[in-house]
Amino acid sequence: MAETPHQASRQRQAKVMTAAAGSAGRAVVPLLLCALLAPSAAYVLDDSAGLGREFDGIGAVSGGGATSRLLINYSEPYRSEILDYLFKPNFGASLHILKVEIGGDGQTTDGTEPSHMHYTLDENYFRGYEWWLMKEAKKRNPDITLIGLPWSFPGWLGKGFNWPYVNLELTAYYIVSWILGAKRYHDLDIDYIGIWNERSFDSNYIKVLRRMLNTQGLQKVKIIASDNLWEPISTSMLLDSALWKVIDVIGAHYPGTHTVRNAQLTQKKLWSSEDFSTLNSDVGAGCWGRILNQNYINGYMTSTIAWNLVASYYEQLPYGRCGLMTAQEPWSGHYVVESPIWVTAHTTQFTQPGWYYLKTVGHLEKGGSYVALTDGLGNLTIIVETMLDDSGGRFTLDLQEDELFTLTTLTTGRKGSHPLPPKSQSFPLSYKDDFNVDYPFFSEPPNFADQTGVFEYYTNIEDKGEHHYTLRQVLNQRPITWTADAANTISIIGDYHWSDLTIQCDVYIETLNRGGVFIAGRVNKGGILIRSARGVFFWIFSNGSFRVTGDLAGWITYTAGSVEVTAKVWYTLTLIIKGSLSSGMLNGKPLWTNIHVNYPKNGWAAIGTHSFEFAQFDNFHVEATRS
């Protein structure tokens, strides 16, 4: 496959190179790369001294967090087309590995993902979308490797502390339950399990986890540690033989293509277990191509996993469009197959886990690199990249800067395609949801993106009337956080460019005296920045008061007062924002009018609660204009 502005001549020359590779077999093959060379250099591919390390595959992360949130809301056939580009062999990215977040109820970059155990005695293996995503990946590629890793944990595991290692057996039980639930309810075999994403590890916990996995018949599940830096995990393993024994893979994040001496001394598999995290433009794709080659050349890393799989979250959240492709408009069906998909395919479509790198890999004299892999059965694949800002770099194959070539004996790869998706459209200016879903396909309603807390479809058995089916905030305790979760729960929806808008929603406070809920407009921040979100927030409280604030944290108060509100009663809130003025109504009657709100000028709509408390929402309705 050739990705270059001058594809025609490159493709003709690549065919010549592929033919040369086909006759190589298992011999010294200097002629293959000699055709690539400038007269001053020679690059010999040679397996006479044996092979290099075993290749473990290329993958991507769904989660860390809520990065695939909007994907499940796509209608068919567009949802299946997106999944084909990600997972279908010999079609698009053709990923070998899918790594998912084990939802822990906390904010983990672009939103929260629900836990399978919100509370101590609670177990539900149908929350969230990662189960569905893993099944869809397996449906397309039964051999895909599955990895689970927690970012946050439900608060009950910490017993009052923001720490998952208070009770090692309890946390291990929680993780092992997720693995067993994947098998029991979804027939999914988890291949690898991680410890705590980019946070501290506990050596004793890792040993306890291994013992519990074995006790539950999960000996085949391997452990990756520590999904952070190369150190101190590498040194800890060298000093602790019991720890060394239970860890199968050392996984580092964003290693810059290099490893450290102690990691190599462990003689364990070395992975870049999270990498990329770059805008999925052509420049970002070039960065990804360089990483895929040089992680092995410089650091002996045999697997590289991209964050993230698909940019399926609101683009104005942190790290917008940092996925291998973009699918952020389920309301229109529009998606974009970005360049990183095809850069990935240069490796994934012409190799498989279990192949071996040749020892003769390295850097090109004038910038770039090359790797070669073989299946040991006569097949050979060579990937050459020149993704460097280096003048010169011209070879007899006429390689230019910022190009990527794959030369292979295989004939199975192709650049798959589906019909063009629908054109891009803005979020609807008029939007309603009554949450009247008896058996929801997914635990959360379309297009709502939880930023703190978890909002789920709920069947209200106490109300057989209008509010029998509602949306409920279900956390009553702050999770063990990975980042700076807000003190309030909040779920955003809509178009970041909304300016003038009217939001109406029925609300139901469940907590006596201390409970509170809000609706909001022009919310300007989310993800890891949610604590500092500005906007117009209309609050009512079960103690009989209301407030209007200019921020989620409640530092900026526009107006406040008393109102006849109590818990366990349904109320209808209406928030009207037009220009620099805002007004609010309770049950259709004006509560406050023409309050000046000069900042921000635009943002999402939102709902939420005053604290981690149960509350319900129904008949959500927005009418908006874009700025």
Side-chain angles (χ1 to χ4, degrees):
M1 302 176 71
E3 295 300 316
T4 167
H6 307 91
Q7 289 185 335
S9 63
R10 305 293 187 274
Q11 290 170 345
R12 286 195 296 272
Q13 294 169 68
K15 290 178 181 178
V16 174
M17 302 313 300
T18 302
S23 63
R26 191 187 179 282
V28 178
V29 287
L31 290 178
L32 179 59
L33 274 186
C34 280
L36 286 171
L37 306 180
S40 61
Y43 305 89
V44 178
L45 300 181
D46 184 357
D47 62 357
S48 62
L51 299 173
R53 295 194 176 208
E54 182 180 4
F55 173 64
D56 295 310
I58 306 301
V61 182
S62 172
T67 53
S68 304
R69 172 62 189 90
L70 298 176
L71 175 59
I72 198 167
N73 302 142
Y74 272 79
S75 61
E76 295 294 350
Y78 312 117
R79 186 170 61 193
S80 289
E81 292 172 1
I82 295 164
L83 294 164
D84 286 347
Y85 283 115
L86 295 170
F87 301 118
K88 187 176 180 179
N90 302 313
F91 189 84
S94 306
L95 293 170
H96 303 135
I97 299 170
L98 173 60
K99 179 178 181 178
V100 303
E101 176 177 352
I102 299 175
D105 295 334
Q107 168 63 248
T108 53
T109 299
D110 289 303
T112 67
E113 297 205 21
S115 171
H116 59 289
M117 298 178 72
H118 290 320
Y119 329 110
T120 307
L121 301 178
D122 168 57
E123 289 188 60
N124 185 324
Y125 298 94
F126 294 91
R127 293 189 184 116
Y129 40 82
E130 304 296 3
W131 314 106
W132 164 80
L133 186 61
M134 287 189 284
K135 287 190 289 186
E136 291 294 326
K138 277 285 187 181
K139 184 189 301 182
R140 288 160 175 80
N141 178 7
D143 296 324
I144 196 167
T145 296
L146 298 179
I147 304 174
L149 175 66
W151 269 250
S152 65
F153 296 84
W156 59 270
L157 284 172
K159 297 186 178 298
F161 296 92
N162 195 46
W163 191 246
Y165 305 130
V166 174
N167 185 321
L168 304 184
E169 287 76 15
L170 192 61
T171 299
Y173 166 77
Y174 169 80
I175 294 298
V176 170
S177 296
W178 183 86
I179 299 171
L180 292 171
K183 181 62 175 178
R184 179 177 180 181
Y185 296 100
H186 303 285
D187 196 26
L188 293 168
D189 293 303
I190 304 302
D191 299 291
Y192 292 87
I193 197 71
I195 307 305
W196 189 11
N197 183 74
E198 296 176 355
R199 296 295 181 264
S200 300
F201 66 89
D202 183 296
S203 296
N204 290 326
Y205 167 72
I206 299 174
K207 298 169 191 175
V208 168
L209 177 61
R210 179 72 271 168
R211 288 198 300 270
M212 194 172 292
L213 287 168
N214 294 345
T215 300
Q216 295 296 323
L218 298 170
Q219 292 88 349
K220 292 184 178 180
V221 178
K222 298 178 180 180
I223 292 178
I224 304 176
S226 65
D227 280 295
N228 200 342
L229 304 176
W230 293 118
E231 296 289 10
I233 188 65
S234 299
T235 298
S236 298
M237 292 171 66
L238 292 174
L239 296 175
D240 185 341
S241 60
L243 181 65
W244 180 91
K245 185 177 180 180
V246 300
I247 293 175
D248 300 280
V249 174
I250 302 179
H253 287 193
Y254 307 97
T257 76
H258 292 277
T259 186
V260 297
R261 183 172 181 269
N262 280 351
Q264 296 183 43
L265 287 175
T266 65
Q267 297 184 320
K268 294 288 186 176
K269 289 179 177 291
L270 308 178
W271 289 8
S272 177
S273 52
E274 185 177 313
D275 219 319
F276 183 53
S277 189
T278 304
L279 184 70
N280 55 23
S281 61
D282 289 347
V283 173
C287 175
W288 178 231
R290 180 173 64 250
I291 288 169
L292 290 178
N293 266 19
Q294 297 192 26
N295 271 353
Y296 182 76
I297 295 167
N298 300 336
Y300 300 104
M301 287 166 267
T302 55
S303 176
T304 298
I305 300 174
W307 188 88
N308 58 69
L309 175 72
V310 54
S312 203
Y313 47 98
Y314 291 114
E315 186 171 345
Q316 292 79 16
L317 288 169
Y319 304 100
R321 283 187 54 205
C322 281
L324 297 180
M325 63 180 291
T326 302
Q328 58 191 22
E329 291 186 19
W331 50 87
S332 71
H334 179 74
Y335 62 85
V336 182
V337 184
E338 310 278 8
S339 301
I341 289 287
W342 306 117
V343 167
T344 306
H346 273 270
T347 298
T348 56
Q349 289 201 25
F350 306 104
T351 61
Q352 287 297 324
W355 284 41
Y356 281 82
Y357 285 97
L358 269 62
K359 290 182 177 179
T360 48
V361 300
H363 296 275
L364 300 174
E365 184 179 82
K366 294 188 177 181
S369 65
Y370 64 96
V371 296
L373 301 95
T374 180
D375 63 356
L377 302 174
N379 285 309
L380 179 69
T381 289
I382 305 148
I383 304 111
V384 184
E385 59 84 16
T386 58
M387 305 297 178
L388 288 175
D389 295 327
D390 186 289
S391 59
R394 192 176 271 266
F395 305 87
T396 56
L397 182 59
D398 198 19
L399 283 175
Q400 307 267 337
E401 295 173 11
D402 297 326
E403 292 186 346
L404 180 64
F405 274 83
T406 294
L407 318 173
T408 183
T409 60
L410 301 180
T411 59
T412 51
R414 67 189 178 102
K415 191 169 185 177
S417 65
H418 284 297
L420 289 175
K423 292 182 179 180
S424 175
Q425 294 182 20
S426 300
F427 195 96
L429 295 175
S430 178
Y431 187 83
K432 297 180 180 180
D433 196 335
D434 59 14
F435 312 116
N436 289 344
V437 182
D438 195 358
Y439 297 101
F441 176 68
F442 173 48
S443 59
E444 301 174 41
N447 305 319
F448 280 89
D450 301 347
Q451 301 302 304
T452 298
V454 175
F455 295 74
E456 296 179 348
Y457 283 118
Y458 181 66
T459 301
N460 190 346
I461 59 175
E462 298 178 357
D463 188 331
K464 299 297 183 181
E466 181 183 4
H467 301 297
H468 184 54
Y469 298 110
T470 66
L471 182 66
R472 192 187 196 208
Q473 200 294 119
V474 297
L475 299 190
N476 62 354
Q477 185 177 6
R478 186 178 181 83
I480 297 172
T481 58
W482 183 79
T483 187
D485 294 50
N488 330 89
T489 74
I490 178 173
S491 187
I492 62 171
I493 188 171
D495 190 328
Y496 188 79
H497 300 287
W498 279 350
S499 179
D500 293 352
L501 69 164
T502 298
I503 307 165
Q504 186 174 91
C505 189
D506 297 342
V507 298
Y508 184 85
I509 304 170
E510 297 189 37
T511 303
L512 297 173
N513 300 321
R514 297 178 292 104
V517 298
F518 70 82
I519 62 174
R522 293 186 183 175
V523 178
N524 71 342
K525 291 182 182 178
I528 55 177
L529 305 175
I530 189 60
R531 290 172 68 97
S532 59
R534 296 285 302 274
V536 182
F537 295 81
F538 176 17
W539 310 74
I540 60 169
F541 300 92
S542 58
N543 65 2
S545 65
F546 80 93
R547 291 181 70 200
V548 183
T549 67
D551 62 334
L552 176 62
W555 294 107
I556 304 168
T557 299
Y558 291 133
T559 189
S562 299
V563 67
E564 292 185 5
V565 168
T566 186
K568 308 289 186 178
V569 175
W570 281 98
Y571 299 96
T572 300
L573 301 184
T574 305
L575 173 63
I576 304 164
I577 309 172
K578 188 171 184 179
S580 61
L581 299 176
S582 179
S583 303
M585 295 190 290
L586 177 68
N587 293 337
K589 297 181 179 179
L591 188 59
W592 45 278
T593 58
N594 294 333
I595 296 294
H596 282 270
V597 289
N598 294 319
Y599 180 85
K601 300 296 185 183
N602 54 273
W604 297 290
I607 57 174
T609 64
H610 177 58
S611 63
F612 288 92
E613 60 184 275
F614 298 134
Q616 296 177 52
F617 304 83
D618 203 359
N619 299 317
F620 179 84
H621 180 195
V622 177
E623 297 289 336
T625 61
R626 287 168 57 89
S627 60

